[in-house]
Amino acid sequence: MSNEKFDWWVGIFMLLGAIALTFLALRAGNLATFSQGPSYNVLAKFDNIGGLKVRAPVKSSGVVVGRVATIQFDDKTFQAVVTLQLEKRYTFPADSAVKILTSGLLGEQYVGIEAGGDDTVLADGSVVQYTQSAIVLETLISKLMFGMAEKQGSASTPAASQSTETPSGTGAAPAPAK
């Protein structure tokens, strides 16, 4: 009899473990939005979306207010068109700015909304006018490296231009200006 009771406890423990693993898998895959209420879609166009993915969070002031619904490419403007699915309980002014941001230095990318001051609000199907593309770490590093190389190259250039050579090649220094 005690063996049967022990089997029940092991079964309950295994069931709870399976539920916990399922929850963690959904959470890791950004699929654990159990509170999916009424929503509206807003479009935003970006030159570069970096590593933004569908189902990435949309945050305002650190609070998740929606998710990225779709990502498409507009072959006329050569821009990425991101559809943001925002919860209806959150409304934003029509002049709000949308940015692609990164959690930490190498974290996941998400969309951030900075509220504007307009009296009209974004409606279903609106296109956000003010967007800022993702900052790609590789681009920043290459700009830094090329900037440092350019400074080193320009530092050696003035020394070469201060040569004592004259156009005639005599080697005499030019006369001081009065």
Side-chain angles (χ1 to χ4, degrees):
M1 191 71 141
S2 67
N3 208 11
E4 186 176 315
K5 190 175 183 180
F6 180 73
D7 289 346
W8 274 100
W9 281 111
V10 169
I12 290 173
F13 181 75
M14 294 297 288
L15 181 64
L16 289 175
I19 291 171
L21 283 175
T22 303
F23 176 75
L24 285 174
L26 290 173
R27 192 83 168 142
N30 243 350
L31 300 173
T33 53
F34 300 117
S35 63
Q36 189 68 333
S39 61
Y40 63 101
N41 292 332
V42 174
L43 300 175
K45 296 182 178 184
F46 297 97
D47 292 328
N48 186 351
I49 61 167
L52 186 69
K53 294 181 175 37
V54 174
R55 307 275 314 146
V58 177
K59 297 180 181 181
S60 182
S61 300
V63 177
V64 176
V65 296
R67 296 275 175 193
V68 173
T70 63
I71 299 173
Q72 299 173 337
F73 183 72
D74 184 356
D75 56 358
K76 292 180 179 75
T77 62
F78 301 105
Q79 289 181 314
V81 180
V82 178
T83 304
L84 308 175
Q85 186 177 20
L86 304 175
E87 294 181 29
K88 270 228 195 269
R89 63 183 170 155
Y90 302 114
T91 58
F92 294 95
D95 64 342
S96 296
V98 176
K99 301 177 181 181
I100 298 177
L101 302 167
T102 305
S103 296
L105 184 60
L106 298 174
E108 71 173 350
Q109 290 191 317
Y110 66 95
V111 176
I113 300 179
E114 289 184 6
D118 200 352
D119 291 335
T120 60
V121 294
L122 291 170
D124 192 26
S126 297
V127 178
V128 178
Q129 298 299 316
Y130 306 107
T131 62
Q132 179 181 331
S133 294
I135 298 174
V136 181
L137 187 61
E138 291 86 3
T139 306
L140 286 177
I141 292 172
S142 67
K143 284 182 182 179
L144 176 70
M145 297 303 282
F146 286 127
M148 289 174 56
E150 185 176 296
K151 283 182 183 178
Q152 288 178 350
S154 64
S156 63
T157 305
S161 66
Q162 293 178 358
S163 172
T164 58
E165 282 292 315
T166 60
S168 63
T170 60
K178 291 186 181 179

